[in-house]
Amino acid sequence: MVAAVLTALLLGARNGMYAVSMAPLLRLKGGRRLVGAHVTIDETTAMALAHPQHARYAFWTTALWIYLLWNAGTLMGALGAQFIGDPSTLGLDAATAAALLALLWPRLVDRQVWAIAIASAGIAIVLTPVLRPGLPVLAAAVVAIGAAALSGRGGGR
């Protein structure tokens, strides 16, 4: 439960920072502001910031497609799960780790970043047998954030 609460707080803080960076680009008012807050996530923020001249269009188009495809995927999963049986037989248990690695790989640009990534992974591996699920990942995140901040890489690239 502690891991879930901490994860939710970190996610909420991250999305709050996205909202701060998006407010001047989107200039939303009223009901659109509430809907915009709901769909201010990694993907919509990235698309809007990548296309500042068309930020509003990029943001809302991405939000719409994610909403439609996420719900369609959820429906397909709910209806199709009965036919899959054990997800590990298809390798689906590795999908999340593969997606994380795909996001991380382009950021591994030099030895210092590699060292931070390896140290964080090592912390998670060492703590996994002794902590409740979720806490090793949070500990690894704290190590990565702290190391990045100390090395001057905390601002992102």
Side-chain angles (χ1 to χ4, degrees):
M1 176 137 139
V2 171
V5 170
L6 290 174
T7 301
L9 288 172
L10 288 172
L11 183 62
R14 183 183 72 187
N15 286 354
M17 293 298 107
Y18 290 164
V20 169
S21 68
M22 296 303 296
L25 282 174
L26 300 177
R27 300 179 305 279
L28 301 175
K29 305 242 188 277
R32 291 188 105 192
R33 190 172 187 161
L34 291 174
V35 175
H38 183 69
V39 297
T40 299
I41 57 174
D42 298 350
E43 297 83 357
T44 55
T45 300
M47 290 300 289
L49 294 176
H51 305 285
Q53 68 279 17
H54 304 291
R56 293 172 77 126
Y57 177 78
F59 179 86
W60 289 111
T61 302
T62 304
L64 176 66
W65 280 108
I66 287 175
Y67 178 80
L68 293 173
L69 294 173
W70 187 281
N71 286 296
T74 300
L75 179 62
M76 288 182 345
L79 297 175
Q82 62 187 339
F83 301 111
I84 291 177
D86 181 11
S88 64
T89 60
L90 298 176
L92 296 178
D93 53 335
T96 301
L100 179 62
L101 184 59
L103 291 170
L104 178 64
W105 194 262
R107 307 226 14 127
L108 299 173
V109 295
D110 60 34
R111 288 183 182 180
Q112 187 176 26
V113 177
W114 271 97
I116 293 171
I118 290 169
S120 298
I123 291 291
I125 289 168
V126 168
L127 294 177
T128 294
V130 295
L131 292 180
R132 298 181 80 176
L135 290 177
V137 174
L138 290 173
V142 169
V143 168
I145 292 167
L150 290 173
S151 70
R153 294 185 180 271
R157 292 201 290 164

